[in-house]
Amino acid sequence: MHTGQEPTNYRNGLERKLRALASSLYAIAVILVLFVINYPQLHLASSRVGANLIILGAVISIVLIYLVPWDSLPRSLFLLMPLSSISLLAGLVYLTGGEHSPFQPLYMLPVVFAALYYELTSALLIGLMVVIAAFTPMIYSDVSSRGLVEQAVLSVASLGATAIGALMKGEIIRLRHREQILRNNLEDVWTRSRQLQRETELERRRRIQLEAVHAVGQDVLAVISPENVPDVVVSAIHRNLGYDAVILALATEDSSGLSIVASCRTDGKKTIDVNINDHPLINRSIQERKSVYSNDLLQEKGMGGVACPRARSMAVIPIIIDDRPGGVLIIESRTENAFDTSAITALESIADYVSLALRNAEWYRQLSEKASRDPLSGFLNHRAFVERVAEEIERSRRLYTGLSILFFDLDHFKQVNDTFGHEVGNKVLKEMSRVARQTLRSIDVLGRFGGEEFEAILPGASIDDSKAAAERLRSAISGHQVVLEDGRTITLQVSVGAATYPFDGTTPEELIRNADAALYEAKRRGRNKVVHYADMRQDPQLEPMGAY
C-alpha cells in the first residue's frame, strides 16, 4: 500500500509552470527596460552611465535565459531568477517616475510567484526584496508623508499576501498529497480486489478439479474386471470434467504402437478413424514421457483433434505402468485455451488412478487365472470348467451351433502310482495333458475334473464331430510312452466319453453328468474305448450312470 509520499506528478507539473512564468516575467522586465531606455521621453531621470549599465545587464540576462538550464536548477539557485526580475523591475520603475511609475503594479508578479513557488520563509524573503525595491526610488525623490504611509501599507499588504499565498499553496499541496495517497490506496484496494477475485476463481476451479479427480478415482478404482476398466475410465472423466472427448489408448502387446481401447464423446459417436500413432502431440508425449497440450490446434501445423474434428484444445497425458509408458489419455475440447497448469495437474492425478486401476485389473486377472487353473496340467479346474460350459451353452443357443463335452482318464493309473509313486504319476499326468493339448483344436477348452480324470469343451462340435475328436484323442494318448529317469517306460492308455448339447443335456450339470456316464461305459466295455452318450440312449439296456 502507498505511504505518505509527495504527489510528485502534481508538484512537478506546478513547478514547471511556475518556472516558465518566472522566466516570462524576467523576459518581460528586460524587454520593458530596453524599451524605456531607447525612448528617453518615457523616463524622467536617467544617466547615460546608469542606462548603459542597465542595458549591459539586460543583454547579459537575456543571454543567460537561453544558456542556463533554469528548469534543471535547484530551487535555491532558481531564486536568482525572481530576484533578478525584481532588480529589473526596480530599475524600470526608477526610470519611469519612481512612485509615479505606471509599472509599479508589476511588483505583484514576483510576489504571486514567490507565494506559489516557495515555502513561507523564501516567499517572505522575496516579498521583502520587493518592498526594498519599491522603497528605493523614494530615497532619491521627494515623497510626501502620505506617500510613504501608502507605500508602507502596500508593502505590509504585499508581505501579508505573500505569507497567505505561501500558506494556502502549502495547504493545497498537502490536500493534493492526501488526495494522491487516497487515490493510490484506492488503486491498491482495487488491484488487490481483482487479485483476490482471480485467486478465488482459481481456488474454485481447483476445488472443482479436485472433486472431479476424487470422483473419477472412486469410479476407476472400484472396477476390478479388466475388460471394464477402459470404458469406466473415459466415462468417468467425461462425466466429471465435461470435456468434449476422452480417449484411452494402451500400448499393444507387441509394443509396436498404441491402440484405442475406449472413447467417450459429447456427440455419442464411438468410431475414430484417425491413426493416433502418427499424431505429433501423442508421439511427443510418449517419447518425452510427460504431459503435453495445445490450446490452439488451428495454429499448430500438422495437428488436429483425434475424436473432435473441430477441437481447439488437446491434452495428452502419459500413463506410466511399472515405470514404462503403458498408454495415453487424450482429452479434447472445442474451447480455446481449455487447459492450464492446474487442469493438467488434475489430469495427471487421474492418469495415476488409471495406471493403478490397470495394474489392479491385471493382477486380478492373473490371480483369477491362477485360481481357475489346475497347477499340474495348466487346464481349468472343475469349477471354472463348469462356468465355461454354461457360457458355451448360451453361445450355442444364441448362434444355433453345436457343442460337445469330452470326459477322459488314464486307464490303470492307480497301478502307476502304486508301482512308481506319486511323483512319477504327476509326470505321467503332465505328459498326457501335453498330448491332449496338442491333439485337440486351439479353440477347445480343457479342464481337470480331478485325479486322473480330465474334461474338454468342443465348441461347434456335433455328435459325429465329437466322436471323431474323441477317437483322435484316444489314438494320440493310447500307446504314447513316458520315459522315466532310470530308463523305464510307461505306456499310456485312455478311455473317452462324450455328450452333445442339446441332445444329451441342456444344462452344464446334465452334459457333464452324461459325458461322465459315457466314460464309465467305455471303461466297462474294456477300457481304451470311446463311447458317446447318444449311443447309450439308443441302447435301452444301458442306463446313464455318472459321478453325480
Side-chain angles (χ1 to χ4, degrees), residues 390-401 501 506-507:
E391 294 175 3
E392 293 299 332
I393 286 176
E394 180 60 30
R395 189 197 307 274
S396 180
R397 181 183 295 116
R398 188 173 66 253
L399 301 178
Y400 299 100
T401 58
Y501 170 85
T506 57
T507 66

mmCIF file of all heavy atoms in Angstrom, residues 390-401 501 506-507:
data_model
loop_
_atom_site.group_PDB
_atom_site.id
_atom_site.type_symbol
_atom_site.label_atom_id
_atom_site.label_comp_id
_atom_site.label_asym_id
_atom_site.label_seq_id
_atom_site.Cartn_x
_atom_site.Cartn_y
_atom_site.Cartn_z
ATOM 1 N N ALA A 390 -21.318 -73.340 -19.122
ATOM 2 C CA ALA A 390 -22.539 -72.532 -19.124
ATOM 3 C C ALA A 390 -22.453 -71.429 -20.180
ATOM 4 O O ALA A 390 -23.429 -71.149 -20.888
ATOM 5 C CB ALA A 390 -22.764 -71.947 -17.736
ATOM 6 N N GLU A 391 -21.281 -70.788 -20.286
ATOM 7 C CA GLU A 391 -21.103 -69.729 -21.295
ATOM 8 C C GLU A 391 -21.240 -70.301 -22.698
ATOM 9 O O GLU A 391 -21.864 -69.678 -23.579
ATOM 10 C CB GLU A 391 -19.733 -69.077 -21.114
ATOM 11 C CG GLU A 391 -19.574 -68.315 -19.812
ATOM 12 C CD GLU A 391 -18.161 -67.806 -19.628
ATOM 13 O OE1 GLU A 391 -17.331 -68.004 -20.552
ATOM 14 O OE2 GLU A 391 -17.852 -67.210 -18.571
ATOM 15 N N GLU A 392 -20.638 -71.462 -22.925
ATOM 16 C CA GLU A 392 -20.692 -72.059 -24.268
ATOM 17 C C GLU A 392 -22.090 -72.538 -24.617
ATOM 18 O O GLU A 392 -22.494 -72.498 -25.792
ATOM 19 C CB GLU A 392 -19.699 -73.218 -24.358
ATOM 20 C CG GLU A 392 -18.244 -72.796 -24.278
ATOM 21 C CD GLU A 392 -17.852 -71.870 -25.414
ATOM 22 O OE1 GLU A 392 -18.464 -71.954 -26.503
ATOM 23 O OE2 GLU A 392 -16.936 -71.046 -25.220
ATOM 24 N N ILE A 393 -22.849 -73.006 -23.613
ATOM 25 C CA ILE A 393 -24.237 -73.399 -23.881
ATOM 26 C C ILE A 393 -25.035 -72.181 -24.325
ATOM 27 O O ILE A 393 -25.829 -72.244 -25.278
ATOM 28 C CB ILE A 393 -24.853 -74.035 -22.614
ATOM 29 C CG1 ILE A 393 -24.287 -75.443 -22.400
ATOM 30 C CG2 ILE A 393 -26.378 -74.110 -22.733
ATOM 31 C CD1 ILE A 393 -24.771 -76.110 -21.128
ATOM 32 N N GLU A 394 -24.845 -71.049 -23.639
ATOM 33 C CA GLU A 394 -25.546 -69.823 -24.017
ATOM 34 C C GLU A 394 -25.150 -69.380 -25.423
ATOM 35 O O GLU A 394 -26.006 -68.969 -26.221
ATOM 36 C CB GLU A 394 -25.240 -68.729 -23.005
ATOM 37 C CG GLU A 394 -25.909 -67.397 -23.300
ATOM 38 C CD GLU A 394 -27.417 -67.502 -23.334
ATOM 39 O OE1 GLU A 394 -27.982 -68.360 -22.618
ATOM 40 O OE2 GLU A 394 -28.041 -66.729 -24.096
ATOM 41 N N ARG A 395 -23.876 -69.484 -25.745
ATOM 42 C CA ARG A 395 -23.414 -69.108 -27.085
ATOM 43 C C ARG A 395 -24.025 -70.042 -28.141
ATOM 44 O O ARG A 395 -24.459 -69.599 -29.209
ATOM 45 C CB ARG A 395 -21.893 -69.193 -27.141
ATOM 46 C CG ARG A 395 -21.297 -68.618 -28.439
ATOM 47 C CD ARG A 395 -19.855 -69.094 -28.623
ATOM 48 N NE ARG A 395 -19.056 -68.826 -27.446
ATOM 49 C CZ ARG A 395 -18.431 -67.663 -27.211
ATOM 50 N NH1 ARG A 395 -18.533 -66.679 -28.078
ATOM 51 N NH2 ARG A 395 -17.706 -67.516 -26.115
ATOM 52 N N SER A 396 -24.053 -71.341 -27.843
ATOM 53 C CA SER A 396 -24.613 -72.316 -28.790
ATOM 54 C C SER A 396 -26.099 -72.073 -28.998
ATOM 55 O O SER A 396 -26.606 -72.173 -30.133
ATOM 56 C CB SER A 396 -24.379 -73.734 -28.264
ATOM 57 O OG SER A 396 -24.917 -74.685 -29.153
ATOM 58 N N ARG A 397 -26.791 -71.741 -27.909
ATOM 59 C CA ARG A 397 -28.227 -71.460 -28.015
ATOM 60 C C ARG A 397 -28.462 -70.216 -28.862
ATOM 61 O O ARG A 397 -29.407 -70.164 -29.665
ATOM 62 C CB ARG A 397 -28.809 -71.289 -26.618
ATOM 63 C CG ARG A 397 -30.319 -71.013 -26.630
ATOM 64 C CD ARG A 397 -30.858 -70.778 -25.222
ATOM 65 N NE ARG A 397 -30.729 -71.974 -24.417
ATOM 66 C CZ ARG A 397 -29.972 -72.089 -23.339
ATOM 67 N NH1 ARG A 397 -29.257 -71.031 -22.936
ATOM 68 N NH2 ARG A 397 -29.904 -73.207 -22.646
ATOM 69 N N ARG A 398 -27.626 -69.210 -28.684
ATOM 70 C CA ARG A 398 -27.804 -67.936 -29.394
ATOM 71 C C ARG A 398 -27.442 -68.056 -30.874
ATOM 72 O O ARG A 398 -28.088 -67.452 -31.738
ATOM 73 C CB ARG A 398 -26.944 -66.859 -28.732
ATOM 74 C CG ARG A 398 -27.196 -65.459 -29.258
ATOM 75 C CD ARG A 398 -26.450 -64.408 -28.453
ATOM 76 N NE ARG A 398 -24.996 -64.528 -28.605
ATOM 77 C CZ ARG A 398 -24.193 -64.977 -27.671
ATOM 78 N NH1 ARG A 398 -24.696 -65.367 -26.502
ATOM 79 N NH2 ARG A 398 -22.888 -65.067 -27.870
ATOM 80 N N LEU A 399 -26.399 -68.834 -31.176
ATOM 81 C CA LEU A 399 -25.905 -68.925 -32.560
ATOM 82 C C LEU A 399 -26.360 -70.200 -33.282
ATOM 83 O O LEU A 399 -26.003 -70.384 -34.446
ATOM 84 C CB LEU A 399 -24.366 -68.877 -32.545
ATOM 85 C CG LEU A 399 -23.743 -67.618 -31.929
ATOM 86 C CD1 LEU A 399 -22.230 -67.724 -31.937
ATOM 87 C CD2 LEU A 399 -24.198 -66.373 -32.668
ATOM 88 N N TYR A 400 -27.107 -71.043 -32.594
ATOM 89 C CA TYR A 400 -27.579 -72.304 -33.191
ATOM 90 C C TYR A 400 -26.423 -73.152 -33.699
ATOM 91 O O TYR A 400 -26.442 -73.654 -34.825
ATOM 92 C CB TYR A 400 -28.570 -72.026 -34.335
ATOM 93 C CG TYR A 400 -29.805 -71.277 -33.899
ATOM 94 C CD1 TYR A 400 -29.892 -69.903 -34.113
ATOM 95 C CD2 TYR A 400 -30.864 -71.929 -33.267
ATOM 96 C CE1 TYR A 400 -31.025 -69.195 -33.702
ATOM 97 C CE2 TYR A 400 -31.994 -71.228 -32.864
ATOM 98 C CZ TYR A 400 -32.061 -69.867 -33.077
ATOM 99 O OH TYR A 400 -33.160 -69.180 -32.668
ATOM 100 N N THR A 401 -25.423 -73.296 -32.879
ATOM 101 C CA THR A 401 -24.266 -74.123 -33.232
ATOM 102 C C THR A 401 -24.169 -75.302 -32.276
ATOM 103 O O THR A 401 -24.794 -75.318 -31.216
ATOM 104 C CB THR A 401 -22.964 -73.305 -33.153
ATOM 105 O OG1 THR A 401 -22.827 -72.782 -31.834
ATOM 106 C CG2 THR A 401 -22.972 -72.157 -34.147
ATOM 107 N N TYR A 501 -24.689 -81.215 -26.718
ATOM 108 C CA TYR A 501 -25.823 -80.317 -26.473
ATOM 109 C C TYR A 501 -26.587 -80.150 -27.781
ATOM 110 O O TYR A 501 -25.971 -80.026 -28.855
ATOM 111 C CB TYR A 501 -25.311 -78.962 -25.973
ATOM 112 C CG TYR A 501 -26.369 -77.879 -25.901
ATOM 113 C CD1 TYR A 501 -27.177 -77.765 -24.777
ATOM 114 C CD2 TYR A 501 -26.572 -77.007 -26.972
ATOM 115 C CE1 TYR A 501 -28.148 -76.777 -24.714
ATOM 116 C CE2 TYR A 501 -27.541 -76.026 -26.911
ATOM 117 C CZ TYR A 501 -28.334 -75.914 -25.784
ATOM 118 O OH TYR A 501 -29.309 -74.948 -25.725
ATOM 119 N N THR A 506 -29.244 -80.059 -21.479
ATOM 120 C CA THR A 506 -29.368 -78.624 -21.797
ATOM 121 C C THR A 506 -28.754 -77.748 -20.727
ATOM 122 O O THR A 506 -28.789 -76.523 -20.848
ATOM 123 C CB THR A 506 -30.848 -78.253 -21.964
ATOM 124 O OG1 THR A 506 -31.547 -78.597 -20.758
ATOM 125 C CG2 THR A 506 -31.466 -79.000 -23.146
ATOM 126 N N THR A 507 -28.214 -78.366 -19.687
ATOM 127 C CA THR A 507 -27.541 -77.594 -18.637
ATOM 128 C C THR A 507 -26.120 -78.133 -18.476
ATOM 129 O O THR A 507 -25.825 -79.273 -18.881
ATOM 130 C CB THR A 507 -28.287 -77.705 -17.297
ATOM 131 O OG1 THR A 507 -28.218 -79.064 -16.829
ATOM 132 C CG2 THR A 507 -29.745 -77.273 -17.435
#
